[in-house]
Amino acid sequence: MNDVILFDRDPRYIPRVAAVHDMCGYGKCSLTAAIPILSAAGCDVCPVPTALFSAHTRYSVFTFHDTTEILDGYLDAWRKENVDLDGVYSGFLGSAEQVAIIKRLYADYPHALRLVDPVMGDHGHAYETYTPEMCEQMKELVCMADVVLPNVTECCILTDTPYKEENWTRKELLNMAMMLRL
């Protein structure tokens, strides 16, 4: 039997990943969780902050600052420095316009692995910062991904499947996963 080599590179090479996600000051999620995990996995993590939160949205009080206006200049600076990326990992987006920023990364780095964690909601509800337009934009982004990591709520939103709190069958979950592949 022949071994199949999916990826071959110099073991001294450190892959560089853009982590396109929000930054929470409190609540241990988003970039504050992704950066150390990806770093521990041996990646050079380049954060692209999509929003700044004082705490995540499960807290009753939080501030939210959308960073859309700065992102084109941010990425222009990377281009001028010849930053190369091996992966683009996207999570929470601060606005529907940020999908275009991620599409720009896909165009600028066509060889990069595209991983999308849609971070749209939990427990059957979209986050209060998510608009119907953002949900539609996220559907487009998911179709462009190599890897998609939604939770059940996000699967329901992305596939227009009614949400239920429990008793999902394997067949129902697989059906939603197949719908995401299309």
Side-chain angles (χ1 to χ4, degrees):
M1 178 183 241
N2 293 334
D3 289 338
V4 175
I5 298 173
L6 297 176
F7 187 70
D8 190 20
R9 68 160 203 254
D10 181 336
R12 296 166 295 176
Y13 180 78
I14 299 172
R16 183 170 292 132
V17 177
V20 187
H21 216 313
D22 65 301
M23 173 68 82
C24 281
Y26 183 73
K28 200 62 175 167
C29 66
S30 57
L31 283 173
T32 59
I35 292 170
I37 291 169
L38 290 168
S39 294
C43 296
D44 176 13
V45 184
C46 302
V48 181
T50 59
L52 302 174
F53 283 90
S54 58
H56 63 67
T57 59
R58 293 287 291 163
Y59 291 93
S60 58
V61 177
F62 62 87
T63 62
F64 165 71
H65 177 77
D66 175 359
T67 63
T68 302
E69 290 183 14
I70 69 164
L71 294 180
D72 272 323
Y74 192 100
L75 297 180
D76 288 345
W78 285 8
R79 263 290 172 227
K80 289 176 185 168
E81 289 297 325
N82 295 314
V83 171
D84 195 19
L85 297 174
D86 299 292
V88 176
Y89 156 61
S90 63
F92 179 87
L93 302 183
S95 70
E97 294 78 20
Q98 289 180 359
V99 170
I101 299 295
I102 297 167
K103 288 178 180 178
R104 173 189 170 176
L105 285 168
Y106 291 172
D108 288 350
Y109 306 97
H111 59 281
L113 179 70
R114 301 170 179 186
L115 191 144
V116 176
D117 178 358
V119 189
M120 301 167 73
D122 284 303
H123 308 291
H125 303 285
Y127 296 134
E128 64 183 79
T129 56
Y130 256 78
T131 65
E133 179 188 7
M134 284 181 73
C135 293
E136 289 303 312
Q137 290 289 315
M138 187 57 75
K139 288 177 183 180
E140 284 185 33
L141 194 61
V142 163
C143 288
M144 300 174 75
D146 297 311
V147 178
V148 183
L149 300 168
N151 64 27
V152 174
T153 294
E154 294 153 355
C155 271
C156 289
I157 294 169
L158 292 167
T159 62
D160 298 316
T161 301
Y163 177 82
K164 59 184 182 178
E165 196 61 41
E166 53 188 40
N167 297 324
W168 287 93
T169 66
R170 179 178 170 82
K171 183 177 179 179
E172 289 170 322
L173 295 172
L174 285 172
N175 185 48
M176 280 196 295
M178 295 303 288
M179 290 167 63
L180 289 175
R181 291 181 56 194
L182 302 175

